[in-house]
């Protein structure tokens, strides 16, 4: 811009170099301070935990007005269904005795895919011809019954409070071999109800009736 002043050119060049250096330094510091997981294999490396599978982000079909998890039943050849079949296979080969009979699906926060994963996995095991019982044990905001379009008038809490038998609280679904137990109406105090002797009795009876 100012060819008559060579010193100004040098100053501009030094400023650009200094700015570039500071930008690279800031990027390196940001990279060092960022402890988020960016690749799937980092989970096994950093946390020494087995990776069961990768589930692609899938939007629900607005035209059909049904939950994403039911794609595992309606479209068994979809990428979504295939990803959960891979997870099922990983569980089957996870131990020397095959897949565990009981699973608990949970996470640290809401909206992270607990319900979708539980339902899609239950469908996948039912597709093997196994008798599967899906239990909604969310004592605060159980809503799996809405995804399956069944009643929540009675459910797990009714059995735990000894109001109904196990046969009376379990419902069938449109997925062959898959039965469902909704959470039921929430008691006035749900504290400790899942850790009660009646809950252990329920698990005992369920294990005698179902494969998973």
């Amino acid at each position: 811009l100012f060819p008559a002043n060579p010193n100004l050119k040098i100053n501009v060049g030094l400023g650009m170099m200094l700015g570039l250096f500071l930008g690279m330094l800031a990027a390196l510091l940001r990279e060092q301070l960022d402890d988020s997981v960016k690749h799937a294999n980092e989970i096994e490396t950093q946390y020494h935990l087995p990776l069961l599978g990768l589930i692609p982000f899938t939007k629900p079909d607005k035209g059909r007005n049904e939950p994403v998890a039911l794609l595992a039943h309606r479209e068994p050849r979809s990428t979504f269904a295939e990803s959960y079949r891979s997870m099922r296979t990983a569980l089957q080969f996870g131990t020397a005795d095959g897949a565990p009979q009981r699973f608990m699906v949970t996470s640290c926060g809401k909206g992270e895919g607990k319900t979708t994963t539980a339902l899609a996995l239950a469908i996948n095991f039912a597709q093997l011809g196994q008798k599967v019982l899906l239990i909604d044990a969310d004592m605060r905001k159980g809503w799996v019954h809405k995804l399956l379009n069944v009643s929540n008038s009675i459910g797990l809490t009714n059995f735990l409070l000894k109001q109904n038998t196990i046969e009376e609280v379990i419902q069938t679904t449109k997925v062959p071999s898959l039965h469902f137990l909704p959470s039921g109406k929430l008691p006035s105090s749900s504290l400790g109800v899942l850790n009660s002797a009646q809950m252990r009795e329920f698990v005992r009876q369920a294990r005698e009736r179902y494969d998973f």
Side-chain angles (χ1 to χ4, degrees):
L1 296 176
F2 301 95
N5 190 348
N7 292 327
L8 183 61
K9 290 184 180 181
I10 295 175
N11 292 338
V12 171
L14 289 175
M16 292 178 63
M17 290 179 62
L18 180 61
L20 180 62
F21 172 75
L22 291 176
M24 293 176 61
L25 180 62
L28 288 172
L29 288 174
R30 182 177 181 181
E31 181 69 21
Q32 290 295 322
L33 295 175
D34 185 7
D35 60 354
S36 61
V37 176
K38 300 177 181 61
H39 303 285
N41 54 7
E42 293 181 20
I43 296 176
E44 294 182 326
T45 303
Q46 294 185 18
Y47 303 104
H48 306 289
L49 295 172
L51 182 65
L52 296 177
L54 297 172
I55 309 301
F57 177 75
T58 307
K59 293 183 178 181
D61 187 345
K62 295 182 180 180
R64 299 187 66 91
N65 192 28
E66 69 176 15
V68 172
L70 289 181
L71 279 174
H73 172 63
R74 181 169 59 83
E75 298 183 17
R77 296 186 178 181
S78 63
T79 303
F80 176 86
E82 179 60 35
S83 64
Y84 276 105
R85 273 198 298 275
S86 297
M87 183 182 292
R88 181 190 68 191
T89 301
L91 289 168
Q92 288 175 302
F93 290 95
T95 69
D97 299 323
Q101 187 185 23
R102 290 170 291 169
F103 302 95
M104 181 175 69
V105 180
T106 186
S107 75
C108 298
K110 62 181 181 179
E112 294 178 339
K114 294 183 290 292
T115 301
T116 297
T117 294
L119 180 53
L121 271 180
I123 291 173
N124 267 273
F125 277 101
Q127 288 172 340
L128 294 176
Q130 305 285 341
K131 292 185 64 178
V132 180
L133 175 62
L134 174 62
I135 305 167
D136 188 350
D138 190 336
M139 294 288 101
R140 294 185 177 182
K141 295 182 179 180
W143 67 296
V144 183
H145 64 281
K146 294 182 180 179
L147 303 186
L148 292 172
N149 195 26
V150 299
S151 172
N152 192 40
S153 57
I154 61 172
L156 177 60
T157 55
N158 299 89
F159 179 87
L160 298 181
L161 297 175
K162 300 183 179 180
Q163 298 172 347
N164 296 89
T165 65
I166 190 171
E167 292 85 3
E168 293 172 337
V169 295
I170 291 176
Q171 303 183 37
T172 59
T173 70
K174 62 182 180 181
V175 180
S177 300
L178 176 60
H179 289 187
F180 172 61
L181 174 62
S183 60
K185 299 298 182 181
L186 300 185
S188 56
S189 176
S190 60
L191 184 64
V193 70
L194 293 177
N195 195 31
S196 62
Q198 187 67 359
M199 182 64 185
R200 291 190 289 274
E201 173 61 21
F202 170 79
V203 173
R204 185 193 67 79
Q205 292 189 35
R207 292 183 68 179
E208 293 177 352
R209 290 169 166 80
Y210 295 91
D211 299 308
F212 291 99

